[in-house]
Amino acid sequence: MSGLMIEKLSMRFDLPNGSHVQALKDVSLDLAEGELMSVLGPSGCGKTTLLNIVAGFLAPTSGEIQLNGHDVTGPDAERGMVFQQGALFEWMSVRENVSFGPRMKGQGEKEYGAEVDHLLDIVGLQDFKEKAIYELSGGMQQRVALARCLANDPDVILMDEPLGALDALTREKMQSLVLKLWKETGKTIILITHSVEEALLLGERLLVMAPRPGRIHREYRLPFADLGVGQDLREVKKHPEFAERREEILGMIWDMEEEIMGRSEDEK
Ligand SMILES: Nc1ncnc2c1ncn2[C@@H]1O[C@H](COP(=O)(O)OP(=O)(O)OP(=O)(O)O)[C@@H](O)[C@H]1O
Ligand SMILES: [Mg+2]
């Protein structure tokens, strides 16, 4: 079976003071190959925990997780991660960063060269390939991170707030780039964001999670990611359904935040 299957996943963190946090409870989810899913939810609802479990960085307390029919038991190049910032190798050039995965697999320039250059073209960094990471803007650094992830040819790309540290204009350009990469590579992508607009634009499926215990609250199937592949994202945002969904989801998350704030510390 191809794709990602998550079945009744739960994660409980036991704390040194004897209490515990139920970060996820009974999360079930199927993601077909090539699907693009965005994940939204109030702070602390378990989004990063879910992604870390799929990445294999964390073992769940209970539940099952399979990719293409086999159990996920630890990190593997089949699942690539793109972090918010700061996960690049500062002492390497752009091209050395992007070719890192293939080089670790023992490949030489002859084997990976053309593909790495192709990826640098796609993310628009061909002219910067010999530069050091510190010479790049934040948006450029995130493009290096995307290209480096793709160079490993993962089946699934996991992104935790990948555009969260960027200014509004750069962020918009990067949103278009994510859609372009998704269409060109056919990768399965899970993208966490705090921005309702970004989740609407970058999710053909959008998952809204609820906190304490972290769980799936609601799921949407949306037309905007497909529309955004061939269209300016500002035009996509003018779609009548876009505004409607944005208001609905903003209200939903607002209510959850209110509920969390309204509870006493013990109940949290
Ligand atoms: N290693 C850990 N040990 C103990 N508790 C943890 C650990 N990691 C996460 N938690 C707790 O689990 C819950 C979910 O955390 P998580 O980081 O997954 O939330 P999130 O949805 O990613 O939040 P944010 O939007 O702020 O990034 C939180 O209550 C958090 O305090
Ligand atoms: Mg998080």
Side-chain angles (χ1 to χ4, degrees), residues 13 15 21 23 41-50 194 212:
F13 291 107
L15 306 177
V21 178
S43 186
C45 71
K47 304 181 293 295
T48 296
T49 303
L50 177 63
H194 272 115
R212 300 192 171 97

Side-chain angles (χ1 to χ4, degrees), residues 104-118:
M104 283 298 105
K105 277 194 272 180
Q107 290 184 9
E109 171 71 34
K110 268 200 180 130
E111 288 152 281
Y112 67 69
E115 177 60 14
V116 165
D117 281 320
H118 173 61

Side-chain angles (χ1 to χ4, degrees), residues 152-217:
N152 288 317
D153 196 24
D155 294 323
V156 180
I157 301 179
L158 307 167
M159 305 201 215
D160 196 350
E161 292 271 343
L163 314 181
L166 305 177
D167 64 90
L169 209 65
T170 309
R171 188 166 186 162
E172 201 174 288
K173 288 188 186 147
M174 291 292 288
Q175 289 166 344
S176 290
L177 177 64
V178 169
L179 288 177
K180 179 176 143 190
L181 290 176
W182 169 55
K183 269 295 149 187
E184 283 189 12
T185 63
K187 300 287 180 198
T188 311
I189 302 178
I190 304 180
L191 182 142
I192 293 177
T193 175
H194 272 115
S195 157
V196 174
E197 285 208 344
E198 187 164 279
L200 287 167
L201 287 172
L202 301 187
E204 50 170 353
R205 291 173 66 182
L206 190 168
L207 211 63
V208 180
M209 290 181 65
R212 300 192 171 97
R215 60 198 185 277
I216 295 173
H217 179 68

Side-chain angles (χ1 to χ4, degrees), residues 6-13 20-29 39-40 42 44-54 58-65 192 207-217:
I6 296 174
E7 185 71 23
K8 290 199 157 241
L9 204 68
S10 294
M11 184 75 207
R12 174 184 150 135
F13 291 107
H20 69 267
V21 178
Q22 189 73 44
L24 294 172
K25 189 163 168 49
D26 289 337
V27 172
S28 296
L29 178 73
V39 183
L40 259 179
C45 71
K47 304 181 293 295
T48 296
T49 303
L50 177 63
L51 220 65
N52 281 337
I53 292 173
V54 177
L58 272 177
T61 316
S62 61
E64 245 190 291
I65 165 158
I192 293 177
L207 211 63
V208 180
M209 290 181 65
R212 300 192 171 97
R215 60 198 185 277
I216 295 173
H217 179 68

Side-chain angles (χ1 to χ4, degrees), residues 42-131:
S43 186
C45 71
K47 304 181 293 295
T48 296
T49 303
L50 177 63
L51 220 65
N52 281 337
I53 292 173
V54 177
F57 299 151
L58 272 177
T61 316
S62 61
E64 245 190 291
I65 165 158
Q66 292 191 341
L67 179 62
N68 301 332
H70 64 263
D71 288 335
V72 166
T73 52
D76 190 289
E78 67 183 9
R79 285 160 278 121
M81 191 93 162
V82 177
F83 299 93
Q84 183 168 1
Q85 60 182 21
L88 295 171
F89 305 122
E90 296 279 338
W91 60 94
M92 292 183 194
S93 69
V94 168
R95 199 167 188 283
E96 284 167 342
N97 263 279
V98 176
S99 60
F100 182 78
R103 285 189 286 121
M104 283 298 105
K105 277 194 272 180
Q107 290 184 9
E109 171 71 34
K110 268 200 180 130
E111 288 152 281
Y112 67 69
E115 177 60 14
V116 165
D117 281 320
H118 173 61
L119 289 170
L120 287 167
D121 273 337
I122 299 185
V123 299
L125 286 176
Q126 195 54 261
D127 293 343
F128 296 85
K129 63 184 175 188
E130 301 308 334
K131 296 257 187 243

